[in-house]
Amino acid sequence: MPNKIYIIDVTNSTKHETNYLNANLELAEKGFLKPIRLAGWIRAIKEDVETTFDLVPKIKHLNLSISTSDQMIHGKFQGKKTKDDVIKGMVDAVKLAKEKGAETIGVNAEDASRTADEFLHKFSLAAKEAGADRIRYCDTLGYDDPFVTYKRIKLLAEAVKIPIELHYHNDLGLAAANSIAGAKACIDAGQDAYINTTINGVGERAGNADMLSVILALKKSSGMEKKYADALQGIDLKKSYNIAKYASYAFKIPIPVNQVGVGANAFAHESGIHADGALKDRRNYELYDFEELGRGEVELVETGRTITTGE
Amino acid sequence: MPNKIYIIDVTNSTKHETNYLNANLELAEKGFLKPIRLAGWIRAIKEDVETTFDLVPKIKHLNLSISTSDQMIHGKFQGKKTKDDVIKGMVDAVKLAKEKGAETIGVNAEDASRTADEFLHKFSLAAKEAGADRIRYCDTLGYDDPFVTYKRIKLLAEAVKIPIELHYHNDLGLAAANSIAGAKACIDAGQDAYINTTINGVGERAGNADMLSVILALKKSSGMEKKYADALQGIDLKKSYNIAKYASYAFKIPIPVNQVGVGANAFAHESGIHADGALKDRRNYELYDFEELGRGEVELVETGRTITTGE
């Protein structure tokens, strides 16, 4: 069976969200949220597993997260945890979550991009052995570039042989590129990929990988062979524009004019040569069509500038 | 001498801007614009060269652009030009511009990303022979991904052996990643790189490569060895914040909250674990410092949410 790429949304579960989480689980039980699979996110320590099953007993899918880099072990745990403690705590937490009834568990290596391959593989193999279903490679600071991503994710997927979840931040503007590089590496290594994305690319600091950019890049860019686009699961691009607008409205965060696919200018041509060329044949200056993304009508942007036509 | 990477801004020169261009050339002559080198952009046809030197006689640096892809030759020129016409017209234009007094000429292969290597190299070698100083690889539709970029730019730089100018659009969210992949390829091929960027990433449709993202990615990302960061020329990051704010004000385009480095949230931590970790050691959750970009003070974002502390 060919491997698959799943695009998933990132959520956080914290104590004050107990009612919200329980309500959503009830909706899910009644079938209203299909095909969404709700997953909780907690620290990979036994205490968080205990608390979670006390407060949200029906939770079935969990992400357990712990930092794995030297920077975090020294800078964040500040002498309270060694590398062995990190692995032992995570293994105990995974086993406890399984006992409590968790059906699927992803184990997150926080700051994986600053973690050496050797420790990352050891940590990930221990997670798999304890019962984890996926390893999440977290580029917590948006540090990797696509070449490092491809190399490291391929090595990890080949070494651990379970699906890899890809979590990229955008601090260097590389989140979408890293996400597609990681998915490519997983498929090439014979494993499924799960890509963490957010609507309109919002998220901590400079945001996380933008959902629409990642999907379009996998489907449309020059180097992405058909096998990567074909591996994409559960995509209906026709909803893109409405989802982007709704998220902008709900979060009160305006959509930038140059946002990929859904920004006000994403299909606007201002320079005369581009405008003229696009009128002759849309494929001259557009890689995908606005109809494909569920945008009703193309906008004409009146700039008041003289247009120099192409030829 | 080691090769260098130059970050340059993209400008367009069209007829209605004659007064503006002449005024700027006067300012440049008086030394007010140093170290900026003003370059005009026209089509690579003799008529445009004639018009340019009639209207803006003091122009010294030019980019001459013509489409090179099959898509454009069929879809845009619509039977009026063959591939041979494209090369001949460009060569004549370059020679004429040199005769008229152009000191440096970049030749732009529009839609290079949909142009086969063979024709692209033939076109570029003809440009070099006619006197061009740089070849601009235009990813006009934002079509390439970083792996294709690296491979194609390295082949081009090795074949033509002159500096390459890199022009990436962001239709798939990959403009910054492609820009650094292209620069890496140029340096690895022993040629200088010129990267076209725009302030805050604005530009046609989903924009062009964001200046600050590209610089930070070259300087800070995990795979960029010191030789790439060292190749960067003329960078004073302390101006970043002011330039971004000024451009936003002048263009009347708000800076997105999650804009790399300069967005309101670029240094804000909302999740409890991130906030707690950042307070313990800034390097836990920040790859670069806000002071480095000339931001006066870090913003505290009051969200009213309960904070779950890390450990």
Side-chain angles (χ1 to χ4, degrees), chain A residues 110 171 204 222 271 285 288, chain B residues 110 143 171 204 271 285 288:
Chain A
E110 198 200 20
D171 299 71
E204 292 278 305
S222 57
S271 90
Y285 286 101
Y288 41 85
Chain B
E110 196 201 21
Y143 178 46
D171 299 71
E204 291 277 306
S271 90
Y285 286 101
Y288 42 86

Side-chain angles (χ1 to χ4, degrees), chain B residues 7 40 63 77-78 81 127 200:
Chain B
I7 305 286
N63 272 293
F77 298 143
Q78 305 198 309
K81 275 187 208 290
N200 301 335

